[in-house]
Amino acid sequence: MPLTYRHLEDKVTGVRTATAGAEPPFFTLCPTNCSFRVFRPVTPADVEKLVLSLPNKQCLSDPLPTWLLKANVDILSMFLCQLFNRCLEHSFKSGYVTPLLKKADLDAADVKSYLPITNLSVLSKLLERLVAQQLTEYLTENGLLPEVQSAYRAHHSTETAMLKVMGDILLALDSGNLAMLFLLDLSAAFDTVDHDTLLRRLQTS
């Protein structure tokens, strides 16, 4: 196993070791009759709409230029639809993870200086968007997203998060109370997600 990948695995092992004495994770039960078992099939119209909404930029290593895909989407949408439905049915997706330096002035010999990056093709990005659409619809329709969550939601952003925080602080001060704000920044948060815990939460909550 390459050194950089072993380093990423060691991060998760280190988190598990450091939190071995903590209480086990608690999972809120999903509401009754609320489940997401399979992805619904997409249509050529779904694919065409998504392709036309793509920005006019691409990864240099991508063999399919975005402009070419958009210019011929009326011909390709039927074939892409079949491809994406097969992927959704079999949950198949793969990518090449490449370790890249976080900053040019960092020590290239230190594995901590690297980020795992996956350069996805435009077709892989389209598949991700189709999956995200269906998951977001399911979470929204069933009220499974926290009311105060601003990330990864339509019509929400860092601005809505700041407005919520500022509103709470001003309400507290206007009521004659003290207000304290604690900010938490997790180091390498996405690199240290415990997949077992994540899968259990998705299955339960």
Side-chain angles (χ1 to χ4, degrees), residues 50 53-55 124-134:
L50 196 59
S53 71
L54 287 172
S124 186
K125 292 176 181 177
L126 284 171
L127 178 60
E128 281 193 351
R129 292 191 181 194
L130 289 168
V131 168
Q133 281 182 353
Q134 294 195 30

Side-chain angles (χ1 to χ4, degrees), residues 141-152:
E141 290 172 1
N142 292 281
L144 296 177
L145 290 174
E147 292 183 3
V148 294
Q149 178 176 325
S150 285
Y152 314 112

